[in-house]
Amino acid sequence: MKHSINHPMRHGRRPAGRPARHSRGPALRIGRSLALVLPVVLVLSGTLAVSRVNWSGDSADPALAASAENVSSRTAARAPHEALRDELLIELQEKDPGAALTHLQEAVNDRPSLAKHCASLARSLGRAAVRVYGPTRAQSYARPVCDTSFASGVAQFG
């Protein structure tokens, strides 16, 4: 008995439902083009970006040098509210939150420019008080300093 195998593509016909190999559309061509071109573009753009950076450390632009000096002087001298926050947190640990809140109120009364930072300072004290004393005992020190922000810090962290 002789079996005949039907090869549809030999006779110029393809099976129903199968697209021809050569008609995959423009998406394949675009994808292949991008696969070849994109890495080249990325390498060239990265090379150009790196070549434009002044790696020597000497700034030829006086405006850039002046701004760099301003940044370094600002980071060296801390802001007054940050220094006050550190003092208050130390006082909270050494004494109690009541003493730190009193010191905060006095500092804000002496330097009105600290008033805009008062609420965040009091919240920081509240969170620190919860860590040191627990939520119940920390809440007992709450008083209306900076619109009850201390109590808000206790409630957030506790």
Side-chain angles (χ1 to χ4, degrees), residues 97-98 100-106 108 118-119 121-123 125 141-151:
L101 286 170
T102 301
H103 185 197
L104 172 60
Q105 189 65 53
E106 292 169 352
V108 170
C118 186
L121 291 171
R123 272 192 299 276
L125 288 174
Y141 289 101
R143 58 180 128 154
V145 176
C146 306
D147 298 327
T148 66
S149 294
F150 177 82

Side-chain angles (χ1 to χ4, degrees), residues 131-144:
R131 282 193 297 270
V132 174
Y133 296 100
T136 306
R137 188 164 173 217
Q139 188 62 40
S140 69
Y141 289 101
R143 58 180 128 154

